[in-house]
Amino acid sequence: MSTLVFGHKNPDTDSVCGAIALADLKKKLGEDIAPAMQGELNPESTFVLNKFGVAAPEVVTSYAGKDVYLVDHSDLAQSPDDLADANILGIVDHHKLGDVTTGQPLECWIWPVGCTCTVVASMYKYFDIEIPKDIAGIMLCAILSDTVIFKSATCTDADKEVCAKLSEICGESDLEALGIEMFKVKSAVDGTPIRELVLRDYKDFNMNGKGVGCGQLELVDLSIVDGIKADLEKDIRDLKAEKGHHTVLLMLTDIMKEGTELLIASDDEAVIESTFGIAPVDGKLWLPGIMSRKKQIIPDLEKTFK
Amino acid sequence: MSTLVFGHKNPDTDSVCGAIALADLKKKLGEDIAPAMQGELNPESTFVLNKFGVAAPEVVTSYAGKDVYLVDHSDLAQSPDDLADANILGIVDHHKLGDVTTGQPLECWIWPVGCTCTVVASMYKYFDIEIPKDIAGIMLCAILSDTVIFKSATCTDADKEVCAKLSEICGESDLEALGIEMFKVKSAVDGTPIRELVLRDYKDFNMNGKGVGCGQLELVDLSIVDGIKADLEKDIRDLKAEKGHHTVLLMLTDIMKEGTELLIASDDEAVIESTFGIAPVDGKLWLPGIMSRKKQIIPDLEKTFK
């Protein structure tokens, strides 16, 4: 039985490409291993895999009895429901340390960088394994996506150095153009059901016993969602009710203006005001300079909930 | 304010030497950092630091408001009581993943090898920093101690390879002799209060809500403790009562015969019988081939408590 490596629920490009790359590396290190994902590809990831001719991992939702590696998360809420019945061999991630625990020693490479693929690329270097051209291409895209073309507060020198190397290997030299091409795909909303947009890059958190959800749409221009903003606002209120959450947020991030309009559905908007120091108006808030859920939204919100 | 790096409560040689080595590496990478420890040096660690002329880290028990790295543990029970008020920058470890979580991304190097110092030595290699001779000596001793001179089930090829390299750097070529010299110090019980022996290498665990303590004495010959075995048995019963634990165990490990006599104080000895498949007699059990608490005792016990 082969080992499976997979990213978080509602997979994004880093979760998918990180799993593919780690499986490639581990296979070359002698492990019988395959990438998987917990849900379907989003449009951005589909574009990235197609561009470099890489096959999509199989969708697998049950991991009981399997040996597994986790990438891009270490939170139980983002893991398969039956993770407790799997044998966790390792975690490769770039987030805060979550509540996953193990009964056996394991292998963790968790670094405070912009993207899991930056860590995986560094592992190739550590083990002195050559990165294949197609894998270099999809890792490069994952880093450009997670760091919003190096503009995000999460972006580090390590991310930029790794991208320079991946760019050489895959032959993509204009990273800004590649990034914008990808974000245009990511920005597309036409014909997509509202709920699908809300969940496109959405994560649930347990903050001191309260359920908090936060989605994010990264857009090349906020005007793209002008016509559907009221529908998005209604939908996060519905989602909050369905999940029994305290708060559901949707970040509308303008990657060119470098700021985020936050849509808020909450039992207590004062939590948002005390976190960001600005009072929401009509359930909305413009946060200049804020582009990273992981670094600029979640930690501050968790402090408020404490 | 400088960052502190420290190992678990009741520090052993790996916790002390791993903290010293990681602080040395991080200092050379530009961080303002010092090693610390949560308690006094044990006799083995004192011997090791003296042998290579390395200063003992300062004893620090409160870490509130400090930036910290954890080595050799990721369990809250083994961390400082005020860890929640510290800012965890990273964890370097070789155990199962414990219940420490963070609010911010961090740096974890956690590998399934025999010793934290094996991971730290690999980090020197990754960052291309030369290991100083004295640091190589104490890391070598930590690995020989944790792997019981390569005899423990936890020992991996990575541990042996790192030791070969450290041995070259520090000039200690007879590792078996160095190991036995160290274990003779570790084995000494004369004049040491019984409670101090029980706690010399002792850890508390929370197993499904039940408190379980497990100490270990690694001895070059079990006959060393013949005269005090009854006192040790009484003392773990006392310790169990004081802590309100379900079970307190003491492993008397014969490193030459490669087995462990387990002394048991428990509310329910059936737990031990069902874990190891042998019924204790008079609160004692001989477990041939069992030398590792981490790999051969704790995981199986945790399964039983589930």
Side-chain angles (χ1 to χ4, degrees):
Chain A
M1 186 204 62
S2 76
T3 300
L4 290 176
V5 45
F6 57 87
H8 51 72
K9 282 178 175 160
N10 191 27
D12 61 5
T13 299
D14 190 27
S15 264
V16 172
C17 299
I20 293 170
L22 185 61
D24 175 74
L25 172 63
K26 286 285 179 184
K27 192 172 282 182
K28 285 166 180 166
L29 291 170
E31 295 187 35
D32 178 18
I33 186 169
M37 52 189 188
Q38 294 193 62
E40 298 294 338
L41 288 181
N42 68 25
E44 185 196 58
S45 305
T46 304
F47 165 83
V48 168
L49 296 188
N50 284 344
K51 185 172 178 77
F52 293 96
V54 174
E58 200 184 337
V59 174
V60 179
T61 53
S62 171
Y63 294 84
K66 293 202 161 68
D67 287 341
V68 300
Y69 287 93
L70 275 53
V71 297
D72 203 28
H73 72 294
S74 66
D75 285 290
L76 291 172
Q78 297 171 32
S79 296
D81 297 337
D82 59 0
L83 184 70
D85 302 317
N87 177 35
I88 303 174
L89 298 182
I91 302 173
V92 180
D93 191 18
H94 68 121
H95 295 87
K96 66 196 181 70
L97 188 59
D99 52 1
V100 167
T101 59
T102 66
Q104 290 278 359
L106 78 171
E107 177 184 3
C108 295
W109 299 69
I110 305 173
W111 293 0
V113 293
C115 183
T116 301
C117 282
T118 299
V119 186
V120 180
S122 306
M123 292 173 70
Y124 273 98
K125 185 184 157 198
Y126 179 82
F127 291 108
D128 203 18
I129 304 281
E130 210 174 310
I131 303 175
K133 192 172 171 176
D134 56 346
I135 302 278
I138 64 172
M139 286 205 284
L140 177 61
C141 284
I143 302 172
L144 292 174
S145 172
D146 263 17
T147 65
V148 194
I149 321 174
F150 308 140
K151 289 173 189 170
S152 169
T154 61
C155 185
T156 67
D157 288 343
D159 298 300
K160 292 177 193 167
E161 284 160 24
V162 163
C163 279
K165 175 136 192 245
L166 295 174
S167 150
E168 268 178 46
I169 298 171
C170 75
E172 291 282 339
S173 54
D174 189 342
L175 302 189
E176 179 82 14
L178 175 62
I180 290 177
E181 190 187 358
M182 189 171 58
F183 275 102
K184 277 191 181 152
V185 174
K186 194 173 197 170
S187 298
V189 298
D190 286 349
T192 309
I194 291 294
R195 176 56 61 90
E196 208 172 292
L197 291 175
V198 168
L199 296 182
R200 184 177 278 175
D201 177 10
Y202 173 91
K203 287 182 183 167
D204 282 316
F205 301 87
N206 180 336
M207 299 200 182
N208 206 13
K210 301 274 199 297
V212 176
C214 185
Q216 183 173 26
L217 289 175
E218 287 168 322
L219 305 164
V220 289
D221 191 328
L222 282 202
S223 68
I224 293 170
V225 291
D226 275 351
I228 58 167
K229 200 178 286 180
D231 295 333
L232 292 169
E233 292 181 63
K234 180 180 180 306
D235 198 61
I236 63 171
R237 287 195 299 271
D238 292 348
L239 184 62
K240 174 183 165 304
E242 289 161 29
K243 291 196 172 255
H245 272 4
H246 178 280
T247 297
V248 170
L249 305 172
L250 181 63
M251 299 171 66
L252 303 176
T253 299
D254 189 318
I255 70 161
M256 305 313 280
K257 290 204 185 72
E258 303 192 15
T260 289
E261 180 168 31
L262 197 63
L263 307 188
I264 303 152
S266 179
D267 287 342
D268 182 10
E269 278 198 0
V271 162
I272 305 300
E273 180 172 355
S274 92
T275 302
F276 301 104
I278 315 172
V281 175
D282 291 338
K284 291 190 279 289
L285 195 58
W286 171 252
L287 298 168
I290 302 288
M291 302 177 75
S292 165
R293 174 174 55 200
K294 184 179 78 169
K295 201 142 180 172
Q296 298 173 303
I297 299 280
I298 300 306
D300 292 339
L301 214 48
E302 281 184 325
K303 271 184 207 150
T304 307
F305 274 93
K306 265 189 186 164
Chain B
M1 187 204 63
S2 75
T3 300
L4 290 175
V5 46
F6 57 87
H8 51 71
K9 281 178 176 161
N10 190 29
D12 62 5
T13 299
D14 189 28
S15 265
V16 172
C17 300
I20 293 171
L22 185 60
D24 176 73
L25 171 64
K26 286 285 179 184
K27 192 172 283 182
K28 285 165 181 166
L29 291 171
E31 295 187 33
D32 179 18
I33 187 169
M37 51 188 188
Q38 294 193 62
E40 298 293 340
L41 288 181
N42 68 25
E44 184 195 60
S45 305
T46 304
F47 165 82
V48 168
L49 295 188
N50 284 343
K51 184 170 179 78
F52 293 95
V54 174
E58 201 183 336
V59 174
V60 179
T61 52
S62 171
Y63 294 84
K66 292 199 162 69
D67 288 341
V68 301
Y69 287 93
L70 276 53
V71 297
D72 204 26
H73 71 295
S74 64
D75 284 291
L76 291 171
Q78 298 170 31
S79 296
D81 297 337
D82 59 0
L83 185 69
D85 302 317
N87 178 35
I88 303 174
L89 299 182
I91 303 174
V92 180
D93 190 19
H94 68 120
H95 296 88
K96 66 197 180 68
L97 189 58
D99 52 1
V100 167
T101 59
T102 66
Q104 291 277 359
L106 78 170
E107 179 185 2
C108 294
W109 300 69
I110 305 173
W111 294 358
V113 293
C115 183
T116 301
C117 282
T118 299
V119 186
V120 180
S122 306
M123 292 173 69
Y124 273 98
K125 184 183 157 200
Y126 179 83
F127 291 108
D128 202 17
I129 303 281
E130 210 173 309
I131 303 175
K133 193 171 172 177
D134 56 347
I135 302 277
I138 64 173
M139 285 205 284
L140 177 61
C141 284
I143 301 172
L144 292 174
S145 173
D146 263 18
T147 64
V148 194
I149 322 175
F150 308 138
K151 290 173 188 169
S152 169
T154 61
C155 186
T156 67
D157 288 343
D159 298 300
K160 292 178 193 166
E161 283 160 24
V162 163
C163 278
K165 174 136 193 243
L166 295 174
S167 149
E168 267 177 45
I169 298 171
C170 75
E172 292 282 338
S173 54
D174 189 342
L175 301 190
E176 178 83 14
L178 175 62
I180 289 177
E181 190 187 358
M182 190 171 59
F183 275 101
K184 277 191 181 150
V185 173
K186 194 174 198 170
S187 298
V189 299
D190 288 349
T192 308
I194 292 293
R195 176 56 61 92
E196 210 173 290
L197 292 175
V198 169
L199 296 183
R200 185 177 276 175
D201 177 11
Y202 173 90
K203 287 182 183 168
D204 282 316
F205 301 87
N206 180 335
M207 298 199 183
N208 206 11
K210 303 272 198 297
V212 175
C214 184
Q216 182 173 28
L217 289 175
E218 286 167 323
L219 305 164
V220 288
D221 190 330
L222 282 201
S223 67
I224 293 171
V225 292
D226 276 350
I228 58 167
K229 199 178 286 180
D231 295 333
L232 292 170
E233 292 180 62
K234 179 180 180 307
D235 198 61
I236 62 169
R237 288 194 298 270
D238 293 348
L239 185 61
K240 174 184 165 302
E242 289 161 30
K243 291 196 172 255
H245 272 2
H246 178 280
T247 297
V248 171
L249 305 171
L250 183 62
M251 299 171 65
L252 303 176
T253 300
D254 189 319
I255 70 161
M256 305 313 280
K257 289 203 186 72
E258 306 193 15
T260 290
E261 180 169 31
L262 196 64
L263 307 187
I264 303 152
S266 179
D267 288 343
D268 182 9
E269 277 196 2
V271 163
I272 305 300
E273 180 173 355
S274 92
T275 303
F276 300 106
I278 315 172
V281 176
D282 292 338
K284 291 189 281 288
L285 195 57
W286 171 252
L287 297 169
I290 301 288
M291 301 177 73
S292 164
R293 173 175 55 199
K294 185 178 79 168
K295 201 142 180 171
Q296 298 172 301
I297 299 281
I298 299 305
D300 292 338
L301 215 47
E302 282 184 325
K303 269 184 209 150
T304 307
F305 274 93
K306 264 189 188 167

